[in-house]
Amino acid sequence: GTLAAKARKAVGDDGAVDLLALPASSPVAFLTGSRAAKAFGAFSYRYYPDGTIVPDARWVRQNIATERVPLLGAITCHRLMFPQLRGALSEVAAAGLGATVHTFSGCYVPRFMERDPSHPVSLHTWGIAIDIDAPHNARGTRGSIDPRVVAIFKRWGFRWGGDWDWTDPMHFELGALLRSR
């Protein structure tokens, strides 16, 4: 509290200071960075002990959509993710790599990371992360995603969980919004 008061005084009317707290005391989710917050929005939510989240219905109506994409069919994600996801999957198919993508395991899945309410809100809650071929790409393994598929997704602005210290090779998340290609 004392530190927050000093920070508020330092930033004045041009900024805001939000105290980070456990979800029970402040159930509001936001992506950091003003551009990200403006693009993807912020929402309040209800959460449950099983680690699931129910985001504000208005935010969901404005941002979450179901569309068809190459190789995967109809999926539900954030509306801003579809152009890049469609582009990446089209390129995967055009490169003859479509057969290497076997299953789709979720995009918009409102929950905390690892379904643990003491962890941050998962990017799946925003619908800007997608899991592909989960049965063959468990956390903590190298996985089996073709490196050419990974390279295509990266060119389309995605980050890959296989690059992390504690790997999650099934996971791709929107790392940047690209202008029309």
Side-chain angles (χ1 to χ4, degrees):
T2 303
L3 181 58
K6 289 179 181 179
R8 285 187 185 100
K9 184 177 179 181
V11 298
D13 294 336
D14 294 332
V17 175
D18 292 318
L19 297 177
L20 299 180
L22 292 176
S25 60
S26 181
V28 176
F30 57 92
L31 290 171
T32 59
S34 62
R35 286 186 182 168
K38 285 179 185 174
F40 297 106
F43 53 85
S44 59
Y45 59 87
R46 289 187 322 274
Y47 76 99
Y48 298 94
D50 68 354
T52 59
I53 292 173
V54 178
D56 172 63
R58 182 173 178 237
W59 179 87
V60 172
R61 280 192 309 276
Q62 291 174 344
N63 293 288
I64 302 299
T66 300
E67 296 184 15
R68 295 193 67 75
V69 296
L71 304 176
L72 304 179
I75 64 170
T76 302
C77 295
H78 195 287
R79 62 185 170 74
L80 296 178
M81 186 160 129
F82 281 110
Q84 287 169 239
L85 181 60
R86 195 173 282 113
L89 291 169
S90 293
E91 190 173 330
V92 167
L97 299 169
T100 69
V101 177
H102 304 101
T103 62
F104 160 68
S105 302
C107 182
Y108 174 64
V109 183
R111 60 179 175 79
F112 293 100
M113 288 179 164
E114 299 176 7
R115 297 189 187 274
D116 183 340
S118 70
H119 291 184
V121 173
S122 169
L123 291 183
H124 286 284
T125 304
W126 274 274
I128 60 171
I130 185 167
D131 291 338
I132 298 173
D133 293 340
H136 307 289
N137 292 284
R139 293 217 48 198
T141 70
R142 275 192 64 198
S144 64
I145 300 273
D146 188 300
R148 296 169 295 175
V149 171
V150 171
I152 290 169
F153 267 81
K154 286 180 177 182
R155 280 196 301 275
W156 281 92
F158 289 87
R159 290 187 294 233
W160 180 50
D163 289 333
W164 301 340
D165 289 337
W166 176 244
T167 61
D168 191 4
M170 73 181 82
H171 184 90
F172 293 88
E173 61 188 36
L174 201 56
L177 281 175
L178 304 181
R179 295 180 186 192
S180 296
R181 290 175 61 133

